Amino acid sequence: MTSPKLGSRLLMAANMVREGAVVADIGTDHAYLPVYLVKAGIAKGAVASDLRKGPLKNAQQTVSQYGLNEKIALRLSDGLDNIKAHEVDDIVLAGMGGTLIVKLLERTPWIKDKSKRLVIQPMSHPEDVREFLCREGFEIIREDACVDFGRVYIAINAVYEGNKKEYEPEYFYIGRLPECENGFAGLHLNKQLQRIEKRAKSLKEAGKSPEEQQGLFELTLKIKQVVEKLERRQKNDKC
């Protein structure tokens, strides 16, 4: 049986997993991602975990259907709580909000290991994820963006280096997306702009936090500059 077909969002995350790694898929649901990775020969094994018994039962059905019971372990776990460091190499956290992802990572000290890789696909608040990674000594080595069923998504690939660097506030909203060449990064950044501008408007109408309003205004200017550069580059690539 061939690998299950993944949508663009999960395929983007799969493309960040290292060849030969044992992968942990946190919040696996139907286990399509680990099954794909193992069947495609990218991962040599996996631990598929979920917080709830229902999704884990669905995952078990998928794993059995593809005959991968010996290569994919199923684990009832709140985040990485029931997964040990020696069991996995690459950790995928996809389909969760950025704030939740940070909470799960904060209570998992063993991820601070240069041999591990994080693949994070936040559904919201990617700035929280980037700020956590930078604050804790991780380096973001790659980012990507895609559109799946009309919605734009991003993924972040990171490794622990132990060096805590200073970053400008806009980096947490932009990250390494300007390096993307597929044109979807600009779509995501425009969505971020709308969210920031909405927050600034609410503060202004309420007459609150003039300092925060100013910070948000400066942030929007810097993000707009990046978006304009991406749009110019995309236009030139089409010529």
Side-chain angles (χ1 to χ4, degrees):
M1 187 179 294
T2 59
S3 304
K5 186 176 180 179
L6 299 183
S8 299
R9 179 179 67 88
L10 286 181
L11 187 59
M12 175 175 60
N15 289 337
M16 290 184 174
V17 173
R18 293 174 294 174
E19 187 173 349
V22 176
V23 63
D25 182 30
I26 309 303
T28 194
D29 197 8
H30 285 76
Y32 293 139
L33 178 63
V35 167
Y36 169 86
L37 290 167
V38 174
K39 287 293 291 184
I42 298 169
K44 64 181 180 182
V47 177
S49 78
D50 208 284
L51 173 63
R52 296 169 296 159
K53 292 181 180 179
L56 208 61
K57 184 178 179 180
N58 295 333
Q60 181 63 71
Q61 292 175 349
T62 305
V63 170
S64 297
Q65 177 185 352
Y66 284 87
L68 295 174
N69 290 294
E70 293 184 2
K71 290 191 174 183
I72 300 178
L74 280 297
R75 192 76 50 84
L76 190 67
S77 179
D78 185 357
L80 292 111
D81 290 357
N82 293 332
I83 298 174
K84 294 180 171 56
H86 70 270
E87 294 182 291
V88 297
D89 306 304
D90 291 12
I91 300 112
V92 179
L93 298 104
M96 292 175 271
T99 305
L100 174 59
I101 289 172
V102 169
K103 290 180 179 178
L104 299 180
L105 295 176
E106 282 178 332
R107 64 179 196 238
T108 312
W110 58 258
I111 61 172
K112 292 184 176 181
D113 182 333
K114 294 183 179 181
S115 70
K116 310 293 184 187
R117 291 289 186 278
L118 298 179
V119 178
I120 302 172
Q121 188 278 298
M123 301 294 278
S124 62
H125 298 288
E127 69 276 7
D128 291 350
V129 174
R130 294 190 188 97
E131 186 172 1
F132 165 81
L133 293 172
C134 295
R135 182 179 71 241
E136 297 298 321
F138 289 84
E139 181 178 348
I140 297 172
I141 55 180
R142 178 187 171 195
E143 294 198 34
D144 203 355
C146 74
V147 169
D148 198 354
F149 287 99
R151 179 173 173 178
V152 62
Y153 300 96
I154 68 160
I156 300 168
N157 199 190
V159 60
Y160 181 70
E161 292 290 349
N163 301 318
K164 299 181 182 181
K165 304 175 185 177
E166 293 293 327
Y167 291 89
E168 295 297 326
E170 64 268 21
Y171 180 78
F172 303 135
Y173 288 85
I174 297 168
R176 300 191 68 162
L177 287 175
E179 298 171 22
C180 293
E181 299 179 354
N182 58 21
F184 299 128
L187 294 177
H188 169 78
L189 291 174
N190 271 319
K191 295 286 286 186
Q192 290 288 80
L193 271 174
Q194 293 173 17
R195 184 165 65 90
I196 296 166
E197 288 171 343
K198 184 178 180 180
R199 168 65 177 166
K201 182 181 179 181
S202 297
L203 290 173
K204 184 176 181 180
E205 290 176 347
K208 296 180 179 179
S209 307
E211 290 185 2
E212 184 180 355
Q213 289 183 50
Q214 181 61 29
L216 292 173
F217 174 72
E218 294 174 359
L219 179 60
T220 59
L221 290 180
K222 291 175 181 177
I223 295 177
K224 284 177 180 177
Q225 290 175 354
V226 173
V227 171
E228 288 170 0
K229 287 181 181 179
L230 286 170
E231 290 175 346
R232 285 197 300 269
R233 186 176 71 188
Q234 189 176 8
K235 184 178 180 180
N236 290 335
D237 289 343
K238 290 180 179 180
C239 294

